[in-house]
Amino acid sequence: MVNSLWSRFGLELTLMVFIVFFGLVMCRAHLTYQRGNKKRIDEEFRQTMAQHCIQNVQIKQEHTVLGARRRGGKRSFDVHRILYSPPDRWFVYVHVEDENPVLLPISEQRAMASVTSSGAE
């Protein structure tokens, strides 16, 4: 009776340790994937700014989804930024995974409308 209790307890403990360990491994893999995406996003942003000879830029609004790998595929990362380059240039920057980044000039009014409509400043 006592041996069966201990063997059952040992089995349950082993199963719980495996589940916790598996969860930690999956969480670490997810974070590593997102860090890689963040690094790629930042590097391609710098390259795009250099290609357009923009040296000084302020990010006025940013919306970034770092993406994730899933059982049925993956959710792509995407980045949307409103940029200000002094003294009077405004841009929208869009980058979706597996596509080239897009940098488009916009008017100050359009940029301000976007920034104030989302509540960010």
Side-chain angles (χ1 to χ4, degrees):
M1 178 85 175
V2 173
N3 277 344
S4 72
L5 178 65
W6 281 108
S7 66
R8 182 179 169 135
F9 177 73
L11 179 63
E12 289 173 355
L13 181 64
T14 303
L15 186 60
M16 283 181 29
V17 167
F18 175 76
I19 290 170
V20 168
F21 179 72
F22 184 74
L24 290 173
V25 167
M26 293 306 292
C27 183
R28 182 174 172 94
H30 175 72
L31 291 175
T32 301
Y33 180 75
Q34 286 194 331
R35 283 187 198 118
N37 281 349
K38 177 74 171 126
K39 186 176 181 180
R40 181 175 163 200
I41 289 167
D42 292 342
E43 180 60 34
E44 290 190 22
F45 177 71
R46 283 190 291 277
Q47 287 176 0
T48 302
M49 294 301 106
Q51 286 174 351
H52 290 86
C53 300
I54 300 173
Q55 296 175 356
N56 185 18
V57 69
Q58 299 171 5
I59 300 172
K60 292 296 187 176
Q61 181 185 25
E62 178 174 22
H63 174 74
T64 303
V65 175
L66 292 176
R69 288 186 286 191
R70 296 182 176 174
R71 203 174 319 151
K74 69 177 182 176
R75 184 179 73 205
S76 299
F77 71 74
D78 62 66
V79 180
H80 303 270
R81 294 177 176 163
I82 303 293
L83 308 172
Y84 172 64
S85 179
D88 61 350
R89 297 187 315 169
W90 293 85
F91 301 95
V92 63
Y93 174 82
V94 179
H95 185 190
V96 178
E97 190 170 7
D98 300 329
E99 299 292 332
N100 292 328
V102 176
L103 182 70
L104 298 171
I106 58 174
S107 68
E108 181 178 0
Q109 293 79 16
R110 181 84 184 247
M112 286 294 109
S114 177
V115 170
T116 56
S117 69
S118 69
E121 185 68 28

